[in-house]
Amino acid sequence: LIEIGMPFSDPTADGPVIQYSNTIAINNGMMLKVLFEQLKGIRAKVNIPLILMGYINPALQYGFDNFLRDAHACGIDGIIIPDLPMYEYEAFYKEKFEQYKLQNIFLVTPQTAEERIRKIDDLSNAFIYIVSSNAITGGNATIEQEQQNYFQRIKDMQLKNPTLIGFGIKDKETFDT
């Protein structure tokens, strides 16, 4: 899959490199409207899943229906919005995601309780994003035993949806781990 970042002025979960690139992009006029214009026609060249990742504020400013409509029109398959609360997704946005045939990708962390993970699994129909640690993106040098135990705990839950690990995966060694 290809994860496409949606620039935001305050990407609090991201490390300094992504924060800086967001600032440069925004200062150069990048916004959702421009991103969707750039993505038009991408499906003529790309056949693997395309996932947008970003924060909810830009989507709300764009108009959430417009955001989902335009993402669908560009061929986006799923959206990761880490700061979209599960309750709000379920109460206000789930039907809209379904209307536009878009997958909402939830994140879980080492602190996420099993009950919540199972609820996320029930609400999902794509994959679950496993945040590898309590750090910002790019913040970890290695995958520690504690993280290995966490990954095994998730695997042992035998969720119906596949999982993908992110955060701290920055080179071949951490990818292979």
Side-chain angles (χ1 to χ4, degrees):
L1 66 85
I2 297 173
E3 180 184 301
I4 303 165
M6 299 182 295
F8 181 51
S9 59
D10 299 300
T12 56
D14 293 309
V17 172
I18 295 174
Q19 289 178 4
Y20 181 66
S21 66
N22 274 265
T23 299
I24 290 172
I26 291 168
N27 288 343
N28 284 307
M30 179 53 77
M31 59 182 78
L32 284 176
K33 180 180 178 185
V34 174
L35 178 63
F36 289 135
E37 288 171 9
Q38 292 176 344
L39 291 174
K40 284 183 182 172
I42 194 169
R43 281 297 175 195
K45 298 177 182 178
V46 176
N47 294 318
I48 62 175
L50 298 172
I51 308 294
L52 291 180
M53 183 168 187
Y55 297 85
I56 196 163
N57 281 2
L60 292 174
Q61 289 176 343
Y62 192 79
F64 210 81
D65 281 329
N66 296 332
F67 170 71
L68 295 176
R69 180 199 65 220
D70 291 353
H72 171 75
C74 292
I76 297 299
D77 298 293
I79 302 174
I80 302 169
I81 304 177
D83 58 342
L84 173 58
M86 184 170 49
Y87 164 78
E88 287 187 22
Y89 167 74
E90 195 172 16
F92 305 114
Y93 301 113
K94 184 176 186 292
E95 288 181 12
K96 294 188 180 296
F97 272 82
E98 291 169 354
Q99 174 186 346
Y100 291 104
K101 298 175 178 56
L102 293 165
Q103 310 304 317
N104 180 49
I105 313 300
F106 289 99
L107 286 78
V108 299
T109 70
Q111 284 69 43
T112 306
E114 181 174 342
E115 178 181 340
R116 181 175 173 84
I117 293 170
R118 294 211 180 273
K119 171 108 176 161
I120 286 170
D121 193 38
D122 287 341
L123 285 173
S124 297
N125 56 2
F127 69 90
I128 299 172
Y129 190 112
I130 307 297
V131 177
S132 68
S133 67
N134 297 322
I136 57 174
T137 57
N140 292 0
T142 61
I143 302 293
E144 303 293 335
Q145 185 60 48
E146 183 178 329
Q147 292 162 288
Q148 293 284 356
N149 294 342
Y150 158 57
F151 302 152
Q152 188 61 49
R153 176 175 66 95
I154 300 295
K155 186 176 180 179
D156 290 345
M157 290 177 68
Q158 299 181 353
L159 303 173
K160 68 176 181 157
N161 290 284
T163 57
L164 293 175
I165 298 171
F167 282 52
I169 311 300
K170 64 180 188 174
D171 55 24
K172 183 171 178 6
E173 180 184 348
T174 53
F175 176 81
D176 289 342
T177 304

